[in-house]
Amino acid sequence: MHRVKIGVLGAGRGRSMMNYCKQASHAELVAVCDNNPVFLDRVKRELDDSSIAYYSSFDEFLSQDMDAVVLANFANEHAPFAVRCLRAGKHVISEVLPCQNMKEAVELVEAVESTGKIYAYAENYCYMPAPREMKRLYDAGELGEF
């Protein structure tokens, strides 16, 4: 089975995806990038895996042989970084809302269309306790009709 080679941008919030890749049989963490040396050094020590490349430069990170990039960087930077990843031939998953304005949205859509690469939006707040409780209340008929 082909293991998807994953790179993670953001050594802080990207930790959950790094942990997932270390456990999944179909994914392989191959690179981590963060411009904060404290975060990058901490992850490097904790993962203790010489097969993973660590980068402080995003341009160098993009040259890594990987299939997809998980964007776990600052939320207001996802669209520009996603466009760069797509144009570099990488699939992309954003872990938060990617676009700050219509210009970024158009650029992101055009990058997906022109590259043929997959862009996935993986907002995860729907799995946090408050939204799950609201769904439970809705399913139980306790919120009325919508």
Side-chain angles (χ1 to χ4, degrees):
M1 171 172 47
H2 170 72
R3 294 180 74 194
V4 178
K5 293 184 240 174
I6 306 285
V8 175
L9 174 62
R13 289 192 355 230
R15 192 54 198 254
S16 62
M17 184 56 79
M18 291 178 225
N19 292 336
Y20 173 79
C21 289
K22 297 295 286 178
Q23 297 174 15
S25 62
H26 59 282
E28 175 185 7
L29 180 63
V30 297
V32 177
C33 181
D34 200 299
N35 63 6
N36 183 323
V38 173
F39 286 177
L40 196 58
D41 288 342
R42 181 182 313 139
V43 164
K44 190 174 186 177
R45 277 192 321 275
E46 290 173 359
L47 292 175
D48 190 29
D49 185 339
S50 61
S51 70
I52 301 169
Y54 299 90
Y55 298 94
S56 58
S57 163
F58 182 71
D59 290 328
E60 291 176 17
F61 171 73
L62 274 184
S63 69
Q64 173 74 34
D65 178 24
M66 57 189 162
D67 302 307
V69 173
V70 175
L71 296 178
N73 54 318
F74 293 116
N76 63 339
E77 297 178 338
H78 279 233
F81 280 91
V83 168
R84 290 179 65 193
C85 291
L86 292 162
R87 291 191 176 140
K90 319 293 187 204
H91 301 290
V92 177
I93 184 169
S94 287
E95 53 99 38
V96 297
L97 182 67
C99 301
Q100 303 302 302
N101 54 53
M102 188 58 76
K103 178 182 180 291
E104 287 183 353
V106 169
E107 290 171 350
L108 181 55
V109 168
E110 288 176 346
V112 169
E113 290 174 346
S114 68
T115 64
K117 294 297 176 184
I118 296 169
Y119 172 81
Y121 169 51
E123 181 61 70
N124 59 7
Y125 281 102
C126 58
Y127 299 105
M128 293 188 163
R132 289 182 65 135
E133 175 62 9
M134 292 304 294
K135 181 174 183 334
R136 186 193 69 75
L137 292 170
Y138 173 77
D139 289 345
E142 296 181 31
L143 298 178
E145 289 186 40
F146 286 88

